PDB file of all heavy atoms in Angstrom:
ATOM      1  N   GLU A 288      66.549 127.008 193.398  1.00  0.00           N
ATOM      2  CA  GLU A 288      67.967 127.250 193.644  1.00  0.00           C
ATOM      3  C   GLU A 288      68.732 125.942 193.484  1.00  0.00           C
ATOM      4  O   GLU A 288      68.356 124.913 194.067  1.00  0.00           O
ATOM      5  CB  GLU A 288      68.163 127.780 195.067  1.00  0.00           C
ATOM      6  CG  GLU A 288      69.590 128.148 195.410  1.00  0.00           C
ATOM      7  CD  GLU A 288      70.043 129.422 194.738  1.00  0.00           C
ATOM      8  OE1 GLU A 288      69.181 130.203 194.277  1.00  0.00           O
ATOM      9  OE2 GLU A 288      71.272 129.630 194.676  1.00  0.00           O
ATOM     10  N   PRO A 289      69.824 125.916 192.687  1.00  0.00           N
ATOM     11  CA  PRO A 289      70.592 124.672 192.537  1.00  0.00           C
ATOM     12  C   PRO A 289      71.152 124.197 193.870  1.00  0.00           C
ATOM     13  O   PRO A 289      71.508 125.000 194.734  1.00  0.00           O
ATOM     14  CB  PRO A 289      71.716 125.067 191.568  1.00  0.00           C
ATOM     15  CG  PRO A 289      71.202 126.266 190.847  1.00  0.00           C
ATOM     16  CD  PRO A 289      70.347 126.993 191.831  1.00  0.00           C
ATOM     17  N   LEU A 290      71.205 122.898 194.028  1.00  0.00           N
ATOM     18  CA  LEU A 290      71.840 122.292 195.192  1.00  0.00           C
ATOM     19  C   LEU A 290      73.330 122.154 194.923  1.00  0.00           C
ATOM     20  O   LEU A 290      73.728 121.851 193.798  1.00  0.00           O
ATOM     21  CB  LEU A 290      71.239 120.910 195.467  1.00  0.00           C
ATOM     22  CG  LEU A 290      69.761 120.867 195.857  1.00  0.00           C
ATOM     23  CD1 LEU A 290      69.234 119.443 195.739  1.00  0.00           C
ATOM     24  CD2 LEU A 290      69.575 121.394 197.274  1.00  0.00           C
ATOM     25  N   GLU A 291      74.129 122.364 195.936  1.00  0.00           N
ATOM     26  CA  GLU A 291      75.569 122.209 195.811  1.00  0.00           C
ATOM     27  C   GLU A 291      75.975 120.904 196.500  1.00  0.00           C
ATOM     28  O   GLU A 291      75.472 120.581 197.573  1.00  0.00           O
ATOM     29  CB  GLU A 291      76.304 123.375 196.472  1.00  0.00           C
ATOM     30  CG  GLU A 291      75.896 124.749 195.957  1.00  0.00           C
ATOM     31  CD  GLU A 291      76.458 125.054 194.581  1.00  0.00           C
ATOM     32  OE1 GLU A 291      77.481 124.416 194.206  1.00  0.00           O
ATOM     33  OE2 GLU A 291      75.903 125.919 193.897  1.00  0.00           O
ATOM     34  N   HIS A 292      76.886 120.161 195.875  1.00  0.00           N
ATOM     35  CA  HIS A 292      77.374 118.930 196.502  1.00  0.00           C
ATOM     36  C   HIS A 292      78.873 118.807 196.293  1.00  0.00           C
ATOM     37  O   HIS A 292      79.391 119.103 195.216  1.00  0.00           O
ATOM     38  CB  HIS A 292      76.670 117.697 195.920  1.00  0.00           C
ATOM     39  CG  HIS A 292      77.093 116.431 196.577  1.00  0.00           C
ATOM     40  ND1 HIS A 292      76.947 116.211 197.922  1.00  0.00           N
ATOM     41  CD2 HIS A 292      77.677 115.299 196.080  1.00  0.00           C
ATOM     42  CE1 HIS A 292      77.414 115.011 198.232  1.00  0.00           C
ATOM     43  NE2 HIS A 292      77.864 114.442 197.137  1.00  0.00           N
ATOM     44  N   LEU A 293      79.565 118.389 197.345  1.00  0.00           N
ATOM     45  CA  LEU A 293      81.013 118.250 197.321  1.00  0.00           C
ATOM     46  C   LEU A 293      81.401 116.823 197.692  1.00  0.00           C
ATOM     47  O   LEU A 293      80.936 116.286 198.691  1.00  0.00           O
ATOM     48  CB  LEU A 293      81.652 119.228 198.315  1.00  0.00           C
ATOM     49  CG  LEU A 293      83.162 119.088 198.536  1.00  0.00           C
ATOM     50  CD1 LEU A 293      83.916 119.609 197.313  1.00  0.00           C
ATOM     51  CD2 LEU A 293      83.583 119.841 199.795  1.00  0.00           C
ATOM     52  N   ILE A 294      82.235 116.205 196.872  1.00  0.00           N
ATOM     53  CA  ILE A 294      82.864 114.934 197.231  1.00  0.00           C
ATOM     54  C   ILE A 294      84.318 115.252 197.565  1.00  0.00           C
ATOM     55  O   ILE A 294      85.098 115.632 196.685  1.00  0.00           O
ATOM     56  CB  ILE A 294      82.774 113.906 196.102  1.00  0.00           C
ATOM     57  CG1 ILE A 294      81.307 113.563 195.828  1.00  0.00           C
ATOM     58  CG2 ILE A 294      83.553 112.634 196.460  1.00  0.00           C
ATOM     59  CD1 ILE A 294      81.104 112.607 194.666  1.00  0.00           C
ATOM     60  N   ALA A 295      84.655 115.133 198.839  1.00  0.00           N
ATOM     61  CA  ALA A 295      85.975 115.561 199.290  1.00  0.00           C
ATOM     62  C   ALA A 295      86.993 114.437 199.303  1.00  0.00           C
ATOM     63  O   ALA A 295      88.191 114.684 199.227  1.00  0.00           O
ATOM     64  CB  ALA A 295      85.866 116.179 200.686  1.00  0.00           C
ATOM     65  N   ARG A 296      86.520 113.188 199.425  1.00  0.00           N
ATOM     66  CA  ARG A 296      87.466 112.082 199.521  1.00  0.00           C
ATOM     67  C   ARG A 296      86.936 110.877 198.772  1.00  0.00           C
ATOM     68  O   ARG A 296      85.742 110.753 198.498  1.00  0.00           O
ATOM     69  CB  ARG A 296      87.712 111.700 200.982  1.00  0.00           C
ATOM     70  CG  ARG A 296      86.481 111.175 201.712  1.00  0.00           C
ATOM     71  CD  ARG A 296      86.843 110.490 203.028  1.00  0.00           C
ATOM     72  NE  ARG A 296      87.614 109.275 202.807  1.00  0.00           N
ATOM     73  CZ  ARG A 296      87.945 108.436 203.778  1.00  0.00           C
ATOM     74  NH1 ARG A 296      87.573 108.673 205.022  1.00  0.00           N
ATOM     75  NH2 ARG A 296      88.634 107.361 203.511  1.00  0.00           N
ATOM     76  N   GLY A 297      87.856 109.985 198.424  1.00  0.00           N
ATOM     77  CA  GLY A 297      87.483 108.743 197.771  1.00  0.00           C
ATOM     78  C   GLY A 297      88.141 107.579 198.480  1.00  0.00           C
ATOM     79  O   GLY A 297      89.084 107.758 199.253  1.00  0.00           O
TER      80      GLY A 297
END
Side-chain angles (χ1 to χ4, degrees):
E288 183 73 18
L290 296 165
E291 304 285 338
H292 183 59
L293 173 73
I294 297 177
R296 64 166 294 186

